[in-house]
Amino acid sequence: MSAAAASAAAEPRPFETANVSISGYAAAALALLRGGRLEGAADQVDANVFIGGYAAASDPNFIRRMGITRVVKMFGDDKPYPGGYRRLRGVAYAVFPALDAPDYDIRGDAVNALRFIKEGLDADARVRVLVHCRSGVSRSSTVVLLY
């Protein structure tokens, strides 16, 4: 068998994850594609901070399982998205109506989000924070990178 044929035979078919490391968010999307239900998933940045999308923020089981005590939401309350308006008891929320647009100046919202994260960590080093936007890609990653 040629090297190219052996390589092609060893590659997983689409949506197979054997021997492949994928992020928590990608794993949730993969489960949904396979007919499962969409559950919260986020990637852990360090011991205290997670980054994800609205599915993570709207899944009470995920929030409790990960011990999330503070949520930074980087889009305004929006009923079409479950994480857009849901608040869980015992979790502190900071909502910043940041727009997902190239010309939106996110600096003010990002500074305030960082202040919210720092206040939580200063009060209790065990605080766990989920930073999210709709998809967990642009606005939330800006805040996490600054963190």
Side-chain angles (χ1 to χ4, degrees), residues 2 17 20 31 33 35 39 54 63 87 97 104 108 117 125-126 129 133:
S2 72
T17 58
V20 177
L33 288 171
E39 295 177 344
Y54 77 90
I63 297 294
R87 305 292 190 270
Y104 182 76
I117 295 168
R126 298 169 297 169
V129 182
C133 54

Side-chain angles (χ1 to χ4, degrees), residues 2-140:
S2 72
S7 174
E11 289 183 28
R13 293 185 303 251
F15 306 122
E16 286 187 348
T17 58
N19 301 319
V20 177
S21 175
I22 59 176
S23 72
Y25 194 70
L30 185 59
L32 185 61
L33 288 171
R34 288 185 169 158
R37 74 178 193 82
L38 182 60
E39 295 177 344
D43 292 302
Q44 190 165 2
V45 176
D46 67 11
N48 302 92
V49 175
F50 294 77
I51 184 172
Y54 77 90
S58 65
D59 183 347
N61 294 324
F62 171 79
I63 297 294
R64 304 243 188 283
R65 188 172 62 250
M66 295 295 112
I68 303 294
T69 55
R70 294 173 84 77
V71 173
V72 173
K73 183 174 147 234
M74 296 302 293
F75 68 97
D77 287 339
D78 190 352
K79 293 215 181 239
Y81 292 90
Y85 61 91
R86 179 179 237 172
R87 305 292 190 270
L88 300 172
R89 191 173 309 140
V91 178
Y93 288 82
V95 179
F96 304 98
L99 301 178
D100 192 13
D103 59 342
Y104 182 76
D105 186 353
I106 198 169
R107 289 178 289 188
D109 290 332
V111 166
N112 289 325
L114 291 169
R115 186 173 293 125
F116 178 76
I117 295 168
K118 184 179 180 332
E119 287 170 357
L121 292 172
D122 286 349
D124 184 350
R126 298 169 297 169
V127 161
R128 297 185 107 188
V129 182
L130 170 64
V131 181
H132 83 95
C133 54
R134 283 193 180 98
S135 298
V137 175
S138 300
R139 294 161 284 179
S140 57

